[in-house]
């Protein structure tokens, strides 16, 4: 059974139209991560939550925001998607920051 | 749409042969290393990890070797099967942040 669940698997939005991607976990892990992965490239960390503490990467654009209303759910909000934001977005969790990360199967975002 | 991705290094092997995937890491202070397998359309899947106080660790059909002197990590897959076809990423973690840094992936293509 999937333990890190991302919905939807495929998302299409229009240029400049806000979009929200969701992630849920059944592992009760403290840490949740959002990565961006472009074609044939490695995942790139956008930000992560340790419990309710938000940690943004220095090079993550302001266009990207995140919310974690409870332990199980985390959301990625893209306020004004540009063509360059088309990518696979991966959610991951770990029990602690120094433990292995478990990934969901991602949401592939397309921008029209 | 999405920006053009890089061409991944590719390793092509015959079914039943052993595979060796190599990775050079950058931070001599890294103390933890992970190999992930990513199949097409899926998220990275944890394969095996190793801490810097070890130089070898074995799993089921997989072995990870760590050479800290030259900052080199390898993943050996015994009796490679078609289901092993995927992109393999190494990742390192070190310093105060606990952040995973992913290496460039390697595409493993298993020929029947």
């Amino acid at each position: 059974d999937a333990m890190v669940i991302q919905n939807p698997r495929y998302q299409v939005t229009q240029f400049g139209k806000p979009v929200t991607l969701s992630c849920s976990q059944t592992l009760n892990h403290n840490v949740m991560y959002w990565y961006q992965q472009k074609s044939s490239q490695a995942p790139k960390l956008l930000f992560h939550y340790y419990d309710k503490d938000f940690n943004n990467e220095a090079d993550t654009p302001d266009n990207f925001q995140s919310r974690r209303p409870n332990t199980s759910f985390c959301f990625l909000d893209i306020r004004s998607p540009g063509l360059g934001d088309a990518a696979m977005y991966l959610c991951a969790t770990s029990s602690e920051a120094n433990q292995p990360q478990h990934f969901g199967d991602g949401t592939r975002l397309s921008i029209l | 749409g999405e920006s053009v991705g890089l061409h991944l290094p590719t390793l092509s092997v015959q079914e039943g042969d052993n595979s060796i995937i190599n990775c050079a890491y950058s931070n001599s202070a890294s103390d933890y290393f992970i190999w992930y397998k990513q199949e097409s359309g899926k998220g990275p899947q944890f394969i095996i990890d190793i801490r810097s106080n070890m130089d070898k660790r074995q799993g089921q059909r997989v072995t990870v070797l760590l050479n800290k002197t030259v900052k080199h990590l390898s993943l050996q897959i015994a009796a490679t099967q078609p289901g092993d076809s995927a992109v393999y990423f190494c990742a390192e973690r070190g310093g105060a942040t606990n952040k995973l840094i992913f290496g460039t992936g390697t595409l493993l293509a298993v020929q029947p």
Side-chain angles (χ1 to χ4, degrees):
Chain A
D1 291 335
M3 295 176 287
V4 181
I5 303 158
Q6 292 189 244
N7 284 307
R9 292 296 313 279
Y10 301 91
Q11 176 75 56
V12 181
T13 192
Q14 292 178 331
F15 181 93
K17 185 175 181 180
V19 65
T20 295
L21 309 182
S22 72
C23 177
S24 64
Q25 55 135 338
T26 59
L27 298 163
N28 204 34
H29 281 175
N30 284 320
V31 195
M32 294 187 78
Y33 309 79
W34 279 105
Y35 288 84
Q36 179 192 66
Q37 186 178 30
K38 296 195 173 181
S39 181
S40 300
Q41 296 184 27
K44 177 181 181 294
L45 183 65
L46 296 172
F47 25 59
H48 74 277
Y49 275 93
Y50 186 95
D51 196 11
K52 296 180 181 179
D53 292 333
F54 178 70
N55 298 272
N56 198 33
E57 291 301 300
D59 56 356
T60 298
D62 292 340
N63 200 24
F64 290 84
Q65 307 279 316
S66 187
R67 296 170 284 135
R68 189 179 186 186
N70 54 52
T71 300
S72 300
F73 286 88
C74 196
F75 300 99
L76 170 62
D77 300 309
I78 308 177
R79 290 191 299 187
S80 182
L83 296 180
D85 296 328
M88 174 78 87
Y89 289 88
L90 294 163
C91 175
T93 74
S94 63
S95 56
E96 293 295 332
N98 61 354
Q99 295 301 308
Q101 295 180 20
H102 301 268
F103 285 82
D105 281 337
T107 294
R108 180 164 293 283
L109 179 66
S110 298
I111 314 293
L112 300 180
Chain B
E2 202 171 313
S3 60
V4 174
L6 304 170
H7 290 288
L8 284 170
T10 299
L11 174 66
S12 186
V13 300
Q14 291 291 322
E15 181 178 357
D17 287 352
N18 297 334
S19 303
I20 300 176
I21 301 171
N22 296 304
C23 177
Y25 64 92
S26 56
N27 186 357
S28 56
S30 291
D31 61 358
Y32 180 68
F33 305 87
I34 306 179
W35 280 101
Y36 283 97
K37 171 187 179 183
Q38 188 172 24
E39 296 175 90
S40 180
K42 294 189 175 182
Q45 176 188 358
F46 173 89
I47 302 174
I48 192 167
D49 59 359
I50 188 169
R51 299 194 182 276
S52 60
N53 61 350
M54 303 172 70
D55 53 21
K56 181 179 179 179
R57 190 159 187 236
Q58 289 184 292
Q60 187 176 12
R61 278 202 308 121
V62 295
T63 301
V64 55
L65 298 177
L66 175 62
N67 184 331
K68 294 182 287 292
T69 304
V70 295
K71 293 189 286 188
H72 183 267
L73 192 68
S74 69
L75 177 70
Q76 300 178 358
I77 305 174
T80 314
Q81 302 168 0
D84 295 326
S85 294
V87 176
Y88 289 80
F89 289 99
C90 66
E92 61 181 301
R93 189 191 67 213
T97 66
N98 278 318
K99 184 169 71 172
L100 276 183
I101 306 296
F102 283 82
T104 305
T106 296
L107 174 62
L108 176 65
V110 181
Q111 309 301 324

